Amino acid sequence: CSRAKPIGNAPPRPRHTLHSSPSSPPAALSPSRAAMAARNPKHQDPNGDDTQDAAPVRKRTPKESCLAFCSKYFCEGQRVEKELQAKIDEGTLSWTEKWRKQLAMAVPFLLVHIVWWTAMIRWNSWHKFTDRIAQQQRFRKVLPNGKSIRTMHSNVRPWYMSVTMIFGSMVAGATSEGGASIAFPVMTLAMDVKPHVAKQFSFMIQSVGMTAAAFVILYMQVRVDWKSITYCSLGGAFGVIFGLEQVAPTLTPPYAKMYFVCWAGSFAASLYFLNRIHGRKVYLVVDPKHLPEIWAMGDLTPYWQLNLLLNWKALILLGAGFIGGIFTSIAGSGIDICSFSVLTLLFRVSEKTATPTSVVLMAINTFLAMCYCKWMMREGLEQLAWEFFCVCAPIVVVGAPLGSVLGSYVHRLVLAAFVYATDFVQLIGALIVVQPWSREKCTKELAPAKEMALGPDTCNPTHLCWSSAAIFVCGLIAFWVMQWAGEKLIQRNTATEKEVAEREKLKSAEDVGDVA
């Protein structure tokens, strides 16, 4: 039977049951239903009668719980730019926008693989995968006259890095950890490649892989923070050049390895404790278009031209880019973690936005670093770095874009979990392999000429241990300060949002009054 609709504004007629009438009082609940209603108010009968029970909440099966978990954390969906999202909602996508993921991955794949296959076939360079690399000079041999020399003995083969970069390139594209966060520790800790060679290889391989991933992100119109890209890239350009010229040459291999993993580990610990705050407020970008007052709070002058640089938020992003550029010059990666830390800890930008932003930043910074090493530094790029590059380039151009696509669909906490895991493994691996407390390990890493030039205390285990610990503790303190400042900034932003909402409400009321 169909139910008649009420006429005009008349209230709908009450629903009656077989055991109740409009004038009869509601029947009392039975003891069992009263207990259920006390446990869960949703089970109370809205009509107050005892004739019908609300269905009890069914407990999920393990399969349903697993599917719900995967749907929440691994199938959250992309956050794209507002214009593209409007087209998706309206169903007016063009064919290039509809197939944007496939086209974005196909373009860099075809460009790199056409060049790579042509070169490998033309010069018959397939042996590069299996040639033994003997440039490490790892083992020390004592001659009969008592003189110590370095031997040219190694069983490392380039295809080891090909396998490593299958995983490393996907991590680079999906998280804020660049490809160097995998390549640098593996090469320096497991394969005993010299840090400056591993650093140059990281520059070269990220110039291909991260650039391909950045192209995929921008072509798919995944949301990024352009303020961070602009200011961090500018600061990173000066930082990486300063680091290559002044900082990196003064650090011996053990110091470069330990400082990198300690600094990254301190950030991972800070991000973990921040994400323990459930339900915390996050923003999509630093400068929301609908609330320009949030960015304008940082203006230091009344002139907008000067405020392009004289804004304390812009200056912080410039400083983060400069420091990140210095770390990039040491270990091949750094500006991505610096920008990610400032965005997430201080400005409380969602990891869903900060991650693709860091990928684009890393592509720009490493390409600049590779060009500077190639044409502006006297020693240029090492031949060993080229050997590793030849066997890894066709792999990263697939893995990094694929990681960007997959990373754009997962929950922000999954992206953060990748950061925890990679940084924790790096830190533990460095302690096991480098053994900073061992004098023998330190001296093995140094070239004899450099050891004689810098003195016997060039790699002092005591100094290496306490300085690495100091970097870890200082990193924790710095990131905690960022987290504390982020809480204060959130309160200021909330107050600004309320003021803007009240001002718009008064303005709309005045407009209505004028019309009346």
Side-chain angles (χ1 to χ4, degrees):
C1 300
S2 60
R3 183 176 301 172
K5 296 182 180 179
I7 300 174
N9 295 326
R13 297 176 63 187
R15 188 181 63 179
H16 307 302
T17 63
L18 296 176
H19 301 282
S20 64
S21 64
S23 59
S24 61
L29 294 178
S30 64
S32 61
R33 294 192 184 94
M36 182 181 292
R39 290 194 303 268
N40 190 350
K42 293 182 180 180
H43 290 170
Q44 294 179 358
D45 192 340
N47 297 313
D49 54 80
D50 192 26
T51 59
Q52 295 179 353
D53 275 338
V57 177
R58 186 175 65 87
K59 189 176 181 180
R60 285 178 177 175
T61 63
K63 181 179 180 181
E64 290 174 342
S65 299
C66 182
L67 291 176
F69 177 84
C70 294
S71 176
K72 177 181 178 181
Y73 289 103
F74 297 97
C75 302
E76 186 186 37
Q78 290 181 323
R79 286 184 181 172
V80 296
E81 296 294 344
K82 187 177 181 180
E83 295 79 8
L84 180 61
Q85 187 61 50
K87 291 183 178 181
I88 293 174
D89 296 337
E90 297 171 0
T92 58
L93 294 174
S94 63
W95 72 271
T96 55
E97 293 170 335
K98 184 178 180 180
W99 299 95
R100 62 189 183 278
K101 294 184 286 291
Q102 293 82 356
L103 291 174
M105 293 185 62
V107 171
F109 174 84
L110 291 175
L111 288 176
V112 172
H113 273 261
I114 288 174
V115 175
W116 186 83
W117 283 93
T118 302
M120 294 294 284
I121 294 173
R122 169 64 180 82
W123 285 286
N124 193 23
S125 302
W126 308 108
H127 59 88
K128 290 183 179 294
F129 283 91
T130 56
D131 284 347
R132 180 176 295 180
I133 302 298
Q135 279 84 356
Q136 274 73 229
Q137 300 183 358
R138 176 179 181 181
F139 300 97
R140 186 185 294 271
K141 181 179 179 181
V142 180
L143 298 179
N145 58 3
K147 185 178 180 181
S148 177
I149 62 172
R150 301 283 177 135
T151 62
M152 304 286 285
H153 175 73
S154 174
N155 290 321
V156 174
R157 300 180 189 276
W159 68 265
Y160 297 172
M161 280 307 299
S162 302
V163 176
T164 301
M165 292 312 295
I166 295 174
F167 173 72
S169 60
M170 293 190 67
V171 171
T175 70
S176 63
E177 301 279 337
S181 65
I182 304 297
F184 188 83
V186 169
M187 296 180 76
T188 57
L189 302 178
M191 300 172 64
D192 203 49
V193 176
K194 293 180 180 178
H196 76 279
V197 175
K199 174 186 65 180
Q200 291 183 0
F201 166 76
S202 299
F203 292 158
M204 297 163 67
I205 204 64
Q206 289 179 128
S207 298
V208 175
M210 300 295 275
T211 302
F215 175 80
V216 169
I217 289 170
L218 298 179
Y219 190 86
M220 290 195 305
Q221 299 185 45
V222 175
R223 190 186 297 273
V224 295
D225 190 274
W226 286 106
K227 291 282 188 183
S228 176
I229 292 175
T230 302
Y231 290 109
C232 287
S233 295
L234 184 60
F238 291 98
V240 73
I241 294 174
F242 176 79
L244 288 172
E245 294 288 351
Q246 302 294 331
V247 180
T250 64
L251 292 178
T252 57
Y255 281 85
K257 298 173 186 178
M258 289 303 303
Y259 286 0
F260 173 74
V261 297
C262 288
W263 168 70
S266 63
F267 164 68
S270 301
L271 184 63
Y272 170 75
F273 287 111
L274 176 64
N275 279 324
R276 288 176 63 87
I277 305 174
H278 298 290
R280 65 185 178 92
K281 184 176 181 180
V282 295
Y283 291 92
L284 294 180
V285 291
V286 175
D287 182 16
K289 291 183 179 179
H290 67 287
L291 281 173
E293 292 84 359
I294 289 182
W295 178 265
M297 285 193 308
D299 291 342
L300 302 178
T301 69
Y303 306 102
W304 70 268
Q305 298 91 341
L306 295 178
N307 288 333
L308 293 175
L309 283 179
L310 296 180
N311 180 296
W312 68 264
K313 296 182 180 181
L315 293 176
I316 287 178
L317 292 174
L318 281 170
F322 183 81
I323 297 174
I326 294 176
F327 276 102
T328 300
S329 69
I330 296 172
S333 176
I335 193 172
D336 47 358
I337 302 178
C338 273
S339 66
F340 188 85
S341 63
V342 171
L343 289 178
T344 55
L345 299 180
L346 178 59
F347 296 119
R348 299 303 170 89
V349 175
S350 171
E351 288 89 343
K352 291 277 286 186
T353 302
T355 297
T357 300
S358 66
V359 172
V360 177
L361 276 170
M362 201 65 221
I364 298 172
N365 202 239
T366 52
F367 182 77
L368 174 64
M370 185 199 70
C371 293
Y372 191 85
C373 288
K374 173 64 177 176
W375 287 293
M376 302 302 294
M377 300 192 74
R378 182 173 57 185
E379 61 272 14
L381 296 174
E382 294 279 349
Q383 180 62 30
L384 181 56
W386 282 107
E387 298 290 334
F388 284 117
F389 174 78
C390 289
V391 300
C392 294
I395 295 172
V396 299
V397 80
V398 178
L402 181 60
S404 294
V405 174
L406 297 178
S408 64
Y409 281 94
V410 302
H411 194 274
R412 65 178 185 86
L413 294 180
V414 177
L415 299 175
F418 275 113
V419 176
Y420 311 151
T422 53
D423 288 342
F424 178 76
V425 171
Q426 289 174 22
L427 182 59
I428 299 301
L431 293 175
I432 294 174
V433 177
V434 176
Q435 296 181 12
W437 55 86
S438 171
R439 174 74 183 180
E440 181 181 359
K441 280 281 186 178
C442 281
T443 55
K444 270 187 178 181
E445 300 280 353
L446 294 175
K450 191 169 187 177
E451 189 174 358
M452 292 177 60
L454 299 178
D457 293 331
T458 303
C459 185
N460 188 327
T462 304
H463 180 268
L464 178 58
C465 287
W466 74 256
S467 60
S468 299
I471 286 181
F472 186 83
V473 173
C474 290
L476 287 177
I477 295 174
F479 292 132
W480 179 84
V481 170
M482 283 188 191
Q483 182 177 339
W484 173 82
E487 290 289 342
K488 300 298 182 182
L489 187 59
I490 282 287
Q491 296 175 6
R492 291 185 59 187
N493 291 346
T494 303
T496 302
E497 291 175 10
K498 291 181 179 179
E499 292 177 3
V500 172
E502 292 176 357
R503 189 162 57 245
E504 291 180 352
K505 187 176 180 180
L506 291 175
K507 184 178 179 181
S508 60
E510 292 175 357
D511 294 340
V512 172
D514 293 340
V515 172

